[in-house]
Amino acid sequence: MTILRFLTLAALLATTSLRAESSAEQKVLEAIKSPDLSVVHLWAPWCSNCQAELRSGGWLKTVKDNPQVKFYFVSIWNNGEDGRAMLQKFQIADQPNVAILADPGPRKGDNKIKQFAGMPLSWIPTTWIYKGGDLRYALNYGEVRFDVLQQFLEDSKSEWSHKGEPSIASP
C-alpha cells in the first residue's frame, strides 16, 4: 500500500513538473528579470480579439515606436503552434525586439493552462508589462487600447517612490 501511495505521489509530481517546464514559460520567466521593459502578450491566431488587435496595426506601431522594449508574443491554447505565420502577415515577426514563443498546452479541456509565469490566466489576449522582474501593469481581459498601452510603457520607465512624502493623517 505504501508503494502504491509513493508511485501515485511520484506520478502527480511528474505531471506538475512537466507543466512547469514549458520552454516558453521558462524563457519568459528569465526575460522579465531584465532591468529593461518587457511586454508579455499572450494570444492565439484563432482568437477574434487577437486578430482585431493585429488588424488595427497597433501592435506593429507599438513595437516599432518602442525599440528599447522587448516584446514576447506567446501563443497559448493553440496546441503548441506559435502563430508565426500570422505575425509575419502583420510584419511583427521580423522586428528585432520581438520574440515569438508557444506554450505546448492544450487549447481546451481540464488540462488547459490556467496560469502562466505565475500569473492567473483566464482570457486572451492578455498583456503584461514588466520591469526588473516586477509586474508594472496587467491587462487581463481583452483587446488592448494602444494609446493606453503606450502610456503604461511610458509610466513604467519612471522610477517613482512615495518615500519621504508626508503621510495622510487620520482626522
Side-chain angles (χ1 to χ4, degrees), residues 69-143:
V69 176
K70 185 70 173 186
F71 292 84
Y72 297 87
F73 282 77
V74 184
S75 177
I76 63 162
W77 302 336
N78 199 36
N79 298 321
E81 298 295 321
D82 65 10
R84 183 177 298 276
M86 184 172 285
L87 294 175
Q88 284 176 323
K89 177 180 177 183
F90 292 97
Q91 303 173 15
I92 294 169
D94 296 324
Q95 299 301 315
N97 56 336
V98 169
I100 300 171
L101 305 166
D103 184 86
R107 175 177 172 187
K108 298 178 181 174
D110 291 337
N111 292 331
K112 177 174 82 171
I113 65 168
K114 295 178 180 85
Q115 75 170 24
F116 187 88
M119 294 287 293
L121 178 60
S122 61
W123 188 265
I124 56 174
T126 288
T127 306
W128 301 322
I129 301 171
Y130 288 89
K131 182 177 182 187
D134 294 327
L135 179 66
R136 296 295 177 104
Y137 291 98
L139 305 162
N140 292 329
Y141 298 104
E143 294 176 46

Side-chain angles (χ1 to χ4, degrees), residues 33-106:
K33 293 176 186 175
S34 167
D36 299 322
L37 288 178
S38 302
V39 174
V40 178
H41 182 63
L42 304 171
W43 75 292
W46 53 263
C47 169
S48 60
N49 290 339
C50 299
Q51 292 170 12
E53 285 183 339
L54 292 169
R55 275 193 309 273
S56 77
W59 275 115
L60 180 61
K61 180 177 180 346
T62 301
V63 166
K64 285 185 167 187
D65 287 352
N66 296 280
Q68 73 288 359
V69 176
K70 185 70 173 186
F71 292 84
Y72 297 87
F73 282 77
V74 184
S75 177
I76 63 162
W77 302 336
N78 199 36
N79 298 321
E81 298 295 321
D82 65 10
R84 183 177 298 276
M86 184 172 285
L87 294 175
Q88 284 176 323
K89 177 180 177 183
F90 292 97
Q91 303 173 15
I92 294 169
D94 296 324
Q95 299 301 315
N97 56 336
V98 169
I100 300 171
L101 305 166
D103 184 86

